[in-house]
Amino acid sequence: MLNAFRRATPRVSLLVASLSLAVQAYAQSADEAAKDNVLEKVLVVAQRADRVSNGATNLDLDVKDTPQSISVVTQEQMEQFGVTNLNDALRLTTGIQVDEWETNRTTYTARGFDIKNTQTDGVGLPNNWGVVNGAMDSFGYEKLEVIRGANGLLTGVGNAAGTINYVRKRPTNEQQGSIGVSYGSWDTKRVEADYSTPFTNNGSWAGRVVVAHEDGDSYLRGKDDKRDFFYGVVDGQVGENGTLAAGYSYQKAKTKGSMWGALAFMYSDGTQADWSRSASTTQDWTHYDTTTQTGFAEYTHQLSPDSQLKLSYNYRRIENDTTLFYATDFLGAGLDPATSTGLYGYPWGGNDELDANLGEAAINGHFDLLGREHEVMLGVSYAKSKATNREYANAIYDHDPDLYGYIPMPGFPYAGNVVPEPAWGELSVYSTMDQRMKRAYGATRLVFTDRLKAVLGFNYTQYHREGTNYGVVFDQTENHTSPYAGLTFDITNNLLGYVSYSDIYQPQDETDAADRYLNPTKGVNYEVGVKADWLNKRLLTTLAWFTAKQEGLATSAGYTADAQLYYSGVDVESKGFEFGATGKITDNIDLVFGYTALKLDGENGNDTYQWVPRRTANLMLSARLPSYYALSAGIGGRWQSDISNVESNGFTVRQNSYAVLNSFVAWNVLPDVTLQLNVNNLTDEKYINTLRYSGFYGAPRNYTASLNWRF
């Protein structure tokens, strides 16, 4: 597959969702202020509360009252299960599949489709390919909200997968902080610190700083990673009715010995190979470095007791610098069963950069009609981005010209020094893309009776992109209006039923055999469900049935004459159900459990996207000893059904169903000092992590010991 890296490089589109995280002020009582003879005390408080997501509709709705399926991963859960990056955090979530098909590129899927839209504090920051470069540190986030199902109302464009909303940490009203150190398998070391403090005596301004450093080797041959993360934020009161927040984050992630592509599993006789879990196709000179910077400013103005105006600006810059080595059986014969030869390697190097700017204004308010209070929000946004991709001049090796620049490799597994690093030539631009999106949107929650409520919304988007892609010039403008409708009914005080409908519209960055971008995928999404509170509202369960149809969805269709991957539009239908439970069973036992079953029909009937597991389950169960509250423990993990995929040689590679279990035990040796041990892959399960494009083995059993001090 010649230049597969080029074809799979994400060309990040810029789409904006509404609603940044707002803040509000509250005052000391006048009597107390007079008594103390001091100025009235004003504290800045985040509006978001536990189990509340503004991401679903940009309205102030409880998770229970939102007519879609929503999961939340909290900071506490991430800390308990030793999660330090967003990939592992999302593995804790119901219905989300994390496919690491290379060591530094990952795709998230839900309900059989790629999640191509994400939010940070409610502001859309999508990546059209759905590919995430590297692993973002999770220490800067308070929680993750995952809204499954069509998301046109959230981001302006969307498919039937869902949206991930990353909620940043914000300054607290009291001085507090923490310092943590950990050491784990493969000499993995981590140091992290989090400090928040008010700046003024009256608490009207506060700031927070979060830093983390992680460095370690890997179970994969020749691979090691280093990651540095910084995040700082300030917020406070502006006048009597305004609040302002501004922040900046920086992450530098470096990988040596990264894999581009992954393992070949099929022999020429049709049998499947079984490699060591440390097997890697890379060479020692490879690297994959990613630098991500974000900045934001948010202003909220209280227009009246029932309405507010929110203005936000977000900036993002992503830079990738790579030298890579790809190995594949692109001739389609499979590996020789006796010698394991048949792989061909290809070196590549280059860099890319993205600059994105997002501006937004939204008004949210309540109004009375026919004796009941309703809610409405209206907004406009404008976004633009520019991406530039460069590559080094092709390295020249002695080889058969019929191999398109590929190098015959020795029998696998081979060493990391069998192919020397090329003398890289000059950098040249091979792809550029300028994108703009204008958006107008609105939503309202109508209260018909105490038990019957509706959510109605619309989104108008004008999307434009222009540039070049390997010499092919494109200039494309699309307009689309997406409706949204949801209905909820309180069957009892503890049981709610809902139905929802959403339009599907998603521009696509995949290209056909002539290097032309495919038309946007369009369709519809329906969901019906029930949500129930249990145990005095400590436990929430959701049961949802969903169906989604997407027309012209980009699907890999084969290879061109020069071995380049191309795509075609395929109509795909996803049907299934999800069950989720989250909350407390007792005062000392917390539970998260989820199960998803789906069916995918497309060009090949039920065989469509067989690399997507049809059934998945996830579990997090943690408890404290009632007799000794300082000691806590938990177990969690994921199970998935079998998956398969047909390789280019026509052979089918398979991975049977499997479960990966993780556990922790924590001891508060002092009230503010915690010693913790985490064990991942408790049963030492051996499995191929994905078969989407290619795959490699997941990590064997591993350990991490950590010490955390809170002050």
Side-chain angles (χ1 to χ4, degrees):
M1 185 174 68
L2 182 61
N3 297 344
F5 177 83
R6 304 174 185 173
R7 291 292 180 251
T9 298
R11 305 172 181 91
V12 183
S13 287
L14 194 50
L15 312 169
V16 182
S18 71
L19 203 59
S20 303
L21 188 66
V23 292
Q24 65 181 6
Y26 68 88
Q28 262 186 334
S29 68
D31 291 342
E32 183 177 351
K35 178 180 179 180
D36 295 341
N37 194 27
V38 296
L39 294 176
E40 182 181 27
K41 186 176 182 181
V42 180
L43 296 179
V44 178
V45 182
Q47 280 189 342
R48 289 182 182 271
D50 290 342
R51 291 174 61 189
V52 172
S53 169
N54 286 341
T57 59
N58 295 317
L59 300 170
D60 293 325
L61 296 178
D62 255 6
V63 168
K64 182 183 177 183
D65 295 327
T66 302
Q68 283 185 248
S69 299
I70 299 178
S71 297
V72 179
V73 179
T74 66
Q75 180 184 357
E76 181 183 15
Q77 292 166 341
M78 290 186 278
E79 291 173 350
Q80 287 177 333
F81 287 92
V83 167
T84 63
N85 64 76
L86 296 180
N87 286 353
D88 289 339
L90 288 169
R91 287 189 173 97
L92 304 177
T93 307
T94 298
I96 301 298
Q97 189 72 17
V98 180
D99 288 325
E100 289 185 271
W101 39 276
E102 292 176 355
T103 55
N104 290 76
R105 293 193 293 178
T106 306
T107 304
Y108 309 140
T109 62
R111 300 181 175 180
F113 303 112
D114 292 347
I115 296 178
K116 295 187 176 184
N117 295 282
T118 59
Q119 297 177 329
T120 302
D121 292 341
V123 176
L125 299 168
N127 42 329
N128 263 16
W129 272 76
V131 179
V132 178
N133 292 304
M136 288 297 298
D137 204 286
S138 59
F139 196 51
Y141 298 96
E142 196 73 40
K143 61 182 177 179
L144 277 60
E145 302 170 331
V146 179
I147 303 99
R148 294 181 297 279
N151 48 16
L153 187 62
L154 286 70
T155 59
V157 295
N159 62 9
T163 297
I164 303 168
N165 186 28
Y166 303 103
V167 181
R168 296 182 181 105
K169 290 180 176 178
R170 293 299 175 106
T172 57
N173 297 316
E174 304 293 337
Q175 185 181 48
Q176 67 177 48
S178 67
I179 297 175
V181 295
S182 66
Y183 182 82
S185 299
W186 311 298
D187 196 30
T188 301
K189 302 171 287 291
R190 181 177 173 87
V191 180
E192 58 187 30
D194 181 356
Y195 179 67
S196 180
T197 183
F199 293 145
T200 57
N201 291 332
N202 64 4
S204 60
W205 284 88
R208 189 168 187 171
V209 174
V210 177
V211 295
H213 170 79
E214 186 170 318
D215 190 356
D217 296 330
S218 170
Y219 68 98
L220 294 170
R221 172 187 58 78
K223 180 176 178 286
D224 65 77
D225 294 279
K226 180 185 293 186
R227 184 170 70 237
D228 292 292
F229 175 78
F230 167 84
Y231 167 59
V233 59
V234 175
D235 67 9
Q237 191 79 18
V238 179
E240 294 183 358
N241 299 311
T243 56
L244 178 67
Y248 169 80
S249 71
Y250 173 91
Q251 176 174 295
K252 180 71 172 182
K254 296 183 176 182
T255 299
K256 294 181 179 179
S258 57
M259 259 199 292
W260 173 22
L263 305 179
F265 288 100
M266 299 307 297
Y267 289 117
S268 58
D269 61 2
T271 59
Q272 184 167 324
D274 183 21
W275 310 115
S276 166
R277 281 187 282 199
S278 63
S280 174
T281 57
T282 194
Q283 293 294 281
D284 294 339
W285 45 262
T286 60
H287 77 275
Y288 201 123
D289 298 345
T290 298
T291 303
T292 303
Q293 300 180 72
T294 67
F296 70 95
E298 303 168 352
Y299 176 74
T300 302
H301 191 84
Q302 200 72 29
L303 301 173
S304 70
D306 296 322
S307 63
Q308 61 182 3
L309 169 68
K310 300 178 183 180
L311 305 174
S312 69
Y313 168 76
N314 276 262
Y315 171 76
R316 171 175 282 190
R317 179 175 176 84
I318 302 174
E319 301 169 89
N320 295 300
D321 181 80
T322 58
T323 56
L324 302 169
F325 186 79
Y326 186 75
T328 182
D329 169 30
F330 83 96
L331 295 181
L335 303 184
D336 186 283
T339 64
S340 295
T341 56
L343 288 179
Y344 296 81
Y346 187 87
W348 189 90
N351 62 50
D352 58 79
E353 59 190 37
L354 166 80
D355 285 284
N357 296 270
L358 309 90
E360 187 169 54
I363 293 178
N364 182 291
H366 295 258
F367 64 96
D368 292 325
L369 181 66
L370 301 178
R372 297 187 180 275
E373 185 179 271
H374 314 273
E375 185 181 2
V376 64
M377 58 82 60
L378 295 169
V380 293
S381 66
Y382 177 75
K384 65 178 182 178
S385 69
K386 182 174 183 178
T388 304
N389 302 310
R390 304 177 182 87
E391 63 183 348
Y392 291 108
N394 289 337
I396 304 299
Y397 287 90
D398 292 329
H399 61 267
D400 186 334
D402 292 337
L403 299 181
Y404 306 109
Y406 280 82
I407 307 159
M409 299 298 292
F412 190 79
Y414 46 73
N417 59 358
V418 296
V419 176
E421 182 174 6
W424 301 108
E426 295 295 323
L427 279 171
S428 61
V429 175
Y430 68 87
S431 175
T432 63
M433 180 181 287
D434 294 337
Q435 299 181 93
R436 298 187 299 274
M437 191 181 79
K438 300 175 183 178
R439 182 180 176 223
Y441 53 88
T444 184
R445 189 190 192 207
L446 302 176
V447 180
F448 299 125
T449 70
D450 291 341
R451 302 167 69 182
L452 181 63
K453 305 172 183 69
V455 176
L456 304 175
F458 77 94
N459 181 86
Y460 169 77
T461 300
Q462 183 186 84
Y463 173 76
H464 175 80
R465 62 181 171 189
E466 60 185 60
T468 60
N469 183 43
Y470 292 105
V472 178
V473 178
F474 57 89
D475 189 329
Q476 181 183 15
T477 300
E478 298 281 347
N479 297 278
H480 190 78
T481 299
S482 297
Y484 176 92
L487 196 66
T488 64
F489 182 75
D490 290 300
I491 301 170
T492 68
N493 290 336
N494 302 105
L495 183 65
L496 176 142
Y498 71 89
V499 295
S500 65
Y501 161 87
S502 185
D503 182 71
I504 295 172
Y505 171 75
Q506 179 85 53
Q508 303 187 98
D509 285 86
E510 294 83 356
T511 54
D512 61 18
D515 259 340
R516 296 169 303 195
Y517 286 107
L518 299 182
N519 292 326
T521 177
K522 300 178 181 180
V524 293
N525 183 96
Y526 301 94
E527 185 170 328
V528 179
V530 290
K531 299 183 181 184
D533 281 320
W534 307 86
L535 306 177
N536 198 25
K537 296 190 176 183
R538 293 187 305 186
L539 183 71
L540 176 68
T541 61
T542 301
L543 180 62
W545 292 266
F546 58 86
T547 179
K549 297 180 180 180
Q550 289 195 217
E551 300 174 357
L553 184 63
T555 303
S556 58
Y559 299 90
T560 62
D562 57 353
Q564 294 179 351
L565 180 65
Y566 68 93
Y567 295 81
S568 64
V570 174
D571 296 343
V572 179
E573 182 178 22
S574 171
K575 295 180 179 180
F577 72 89
E578 291 174 332
F579 173 78
T582 181
K584 287 183 172 293
I585 300 177
T586 70
D587 290 339
N588 301 310
I589 300 178
D590 294 286
L591 170 70
V592 174
F593 173 75
Y595 178 81
T596 301
L598 63 87
K599 178 182 178 183
L600 287 171
D601 292 326
E603 190 175 40
N604 300 317
N606 291 335
D607 292 333
T608 297
Y609 304 162
Q610 280 295 309
W611 46 267
V612 175
R614 294 329 196 225
R615 298 177 305 283
T616 60
N618 66 293
L619 170 72
M620 283 189 289
L621 184 66
S622 59
R624 290 188 178 273
L625 289 178
S627 58
Y628 187 56
Y629 205 69
L631 189 64
S632 60
I635 190 166
R638 292 182 61 84
W639 171 86
Q640 71 172 50
S641 60
D642 57 290
I643 55 175
S644 63
N645 206 350
V646 179
E647 296 193 338
S648 59
N649 53 27
F651 297 133
T652 300
V653 58
R654 304 179 186 279
Q655 168 61 56
N656 294 330
S657 62
Y658 65 90
V660 177
L661 297 177
N662 307 315
S663 63
F664 78 90
V665 59
W667 176 34
N668 292 342
V669 295
L670 295 172
D672 295 322
V673 179
T674 301
L675 181 64
Q676 182 167 312
L677 175 67
N678 287 83
V679 182
N680 296 321
N681 197 355
L682 193 63
T683 61
D684 202 29
E685 182 77 18
K686 184 178 182 181
Y687 61 96
I688 305 171
N689 60 354
T690 183
L691 294 176
R692 180 190 178 98
Y693 299 119
S694 53
F696 54 94
Y697 292 102
R701 184 189 298 119
N702 59 92
Y703 309 85
T704 300
S706 59
L707 183 68
N708 184 270
W709 172 45
R710 299 169 297 280
F711 57 89

